[in-house]
Amino acid sequence: MSTSDNCKEGASKSNDDVCEVIEKLQHMSTDVNDTSVCANCGKEGANNICNKCKITTYCNAVCKKVHKKKHKKDCEEHIRLATEKHNDELRRAAELHDIELFKQPPPADECPICFEQMPSMDSGSRYQACCGKMICSGCCYAPVYDNQGNKVDNEKCAFCRTPPETSNDEIVKRIRKRVNVNDPKAMHCMGTLYSDGRYGLPQDDKKALELFHRAAELGNASAYCGIGVAYDFGSGVERDPMKANHYYELAAKAGSVRTRHNLGSMEGEKGNMDRALKHFMIAVEGGSSDSLKCIQDLYTDGYATKDDYTKALQLYQTYLGEIKSKQRDEAAVEHENCRYY
């Protein structure tokens, strides 16, 4: 069976044009000459290739010059078909890229204590370096009672009941211990400490980037965003906007709601309103009130429909229904930094 037959049998409708171009190129290359035979004199062992089409071969520069006028039309056709094939491949690659980019991200984690979905906002949860758990604000600040019903000190970890750290050195020590057992959240946390130069650690962008890469390899969405920021602003690495965008997209696909919203904003600034709307809609489903406001603006400006805005409102209400709890509301009232939506 020929290559073109295989292509026709195995390709989808969207690939038919690409297959047709490949068939034409194959047909031309076999009809005009064998790549080891001179197109001018017919001698075998020709290895002087046409500089333009990179297909037709000659014995030497003399044969190439003699055959130039005759070859011109075929050469131009070779180039046209090769360019068409290349453009079709780029178009298909872009389509596949967008299919992956706009897929629904993985569901948010649950709090290991109340088993409710975690809020997307950073203030709605806390990383506990003692046990490596992310715990929602409601469980972190929920009152604890003894056997007699008396309220007791609740400074201990809500999951493992370890007392809180008493110094910056102890905080770093606990996080480093988690890093050593390949905890991706601890790696990202340590990376941010090096990036900001906090808790007595030196400001070190290269060390931060190394930790972000390790965490990203283990699937941490925030770490992908950290790498994107490093390339975006040239922190510890040469500035590269294309790489920055690549890592921002990886962060969004891994479930970073804030990064997904930022991608929508970037597309909106470029005038790509359809793509911006897609990003904002996914971010709203993940709990981004900022994206909901952006969709409202798109609707007001005529770039989104009433149905789009209605769907966004419904998605956001569904999100709130999944994350709201009495404990989280009580924590938000008592602690300003515990607002979770």
Side-chain angles (χ1 to χ4, degrees):
M1 182 179 291
S2 68
T3 305
S4 59
D5 289 338
N6 281 326
C7 189
K8 288 179 180 177
E9 289 183 5
S12 65
K13 185 176 181 180
S14 63
N15 282 332
D16 286 347
D17 292 340
V18 178
C19 292
E20 183 179 349
V21 171
I22 293 173
E23 184 179 357
K24 287 181 180 178
L25 284 169
Q26 291 173 336
H27 179 72
M28 287 182 65
S29 63
T30 53
D31 277 5
V32 173
N33 66 289
D34 188 294
T35 55
S36 64
V37 176
C38 176
N40 182 55
C41 67
K43 289 183 179 179
E44 295 183 354
N47 57 12
N48 195 320
I49 303 175
C50 173
N51 296 329
K52 292 184 178 180
C53 69
K54 309 295 184 183
I55 295 177
T56 307
T57 55
Y58 301 95
C59 297
N60 49 47
V62 175
C63 280
K64 183 189 291 187
K65 186 175 182 180
V66 171
H67 194 253
K68 181 179 180 180
K69 187 174 181 180
K70 184 177 181 181
H71 172 59
K72 182 179 179 181
K73 185 176 180 180
D74 285 337
C75 184
E76 291 174 350
E77 183 66 4
H78 275 302
I79 295 172
R80 185 188 69 79
L81 290 173
T83 302
E84 187 178 334
K85 176 188 174 185
H86 178 67
N87 291 338
D88 283 336
E89 289 173 345
L90 290 178
R91 175 185 55 77
R92 181 56 180 160
E95 290 175 356
L96 293 174
H97 170 268
D98 281 358
I99 289 172
E100 289 298 315
L101 178 60
F102 293 111
K103 273 184 178 179
Q104 194 63 32
D109 293 334
E110 295 178 345
C111 174
I113 296 177
C114 65
F115 300 108
E116 298 287 343
Q117 179 182 319
M118 282 288 199
S120 62
M121 291 186 65
D122 297 335
S123 58
S125 60
R126 175 190 289 184
Y127 176 71
Q128 301 293 102
C130 47
C131 54
K133 299 295 183 182
M134 287 292 294
I135 302 175
C136 77
S137 57
C139 291
C140 282
Y141 294 100
V144 177
Y145 301 91
D146 60 19
N147 293 335
Q148 284 73 43
N150 300 312
K151 190 174 181 179
V152 298
D153 179 23
N154 191 28
E155 291 298 317
K156 295 180 180 179
C157 172
F159 187 83
C160 67
R161 308 307 298 161
T162 299
E165 306 90 343
T166 57
S167 67
N168 288 342
D169 286 344
E170 189 175 354
I171 293 174
V172 173
K173 183 178 179 181
R174 287 186 180 183
I175 297 174
R176 200 181 300 280
K177 185 177 179 180
R178 297 298 309 172
V179 169
N180 291 337
V181 295
N182 291 327
D183 180 344
K185 289 186 175 66
M187 291 175 187
H188 174 256
C189 184
M190 184 68 80
T192 58
L193 296 186
Y194 274 111
S195 179
D196 299 336
R198 296 169 58 201
Y199 295 154
L201 292 175
Q203 200 281 328
D204 191 333
D205 288 327
K206 290 187 176 180
K207 184 66 176 177
L209 190 59
E210 176 188 334
L211 286 161
F212 289 153
H213 273 291
R214 288 177 61 190
E217 288 173 0
L218 295 173
N220 185 275
S222 298
Y224 281 123
C225 183
I227 299 171
V229 170
Y231 278 108
D232 204 353
F233 295 94
S235 304
V237 69
E238 185 177 350
R239 189 170 183 275
D240 190 329
M242 290 186 66
K243 282 188 177 181
N245 189 71
H246 168 70
Y247 283 106
Y248 287 151
E249 289 183 351
L250 289 177
K253 288 191 286 187
S256 174
V257 176
R258 193 179 300 276
T259 307
R260 176 72 70 174
H261 168 78
N262 291 342
L263 285 174
S265 298
M266 291 163 63
E267 292 290 356
E269 290 172 0
K270 297 175 185 176
N272 302 326
M273 300 308 181
D274 288 344
R275 295 176 65 82
L277 179 60
K278 288 181 181 180
H279 281 303
F280 289 145
M281 198 67 77
I282 295 174
V284 165
E285 189 166 0
S288 174
S289 58
D290 290 336
S291 288
L292 179 61
K293 178 64 170 60
C294 287
I295 293 175
Q296 182 183 23
D297 292 340
L298 289 177
Y299 170 52
T300 301
D301 295 337
Y303 295 111
T305 66
K306 183 178 180 180
D307 288 343
D308 291 328
Y309 184 45
T310 300
K311 181 181 178 181
L313 287 170
Q314 292 171 343
L315 290 173
Y316 190 66
Q317 287 301 318
T318 299
Y319 164 79
L320 291 180
E322 291 174 345
I323 66 162
K324 280 181 69 66
S325 73
K326 182 180 178 181
Q327 283 188 173
R328 292 175 183 179
D329 287 340
E330 290 174 350
V333 171
E334 294 187 19
H335 306 274
E336 180 65 24
N337 61 353
C338 289
R339 290 197 58 188
Y340 61 99
Y341 64 90

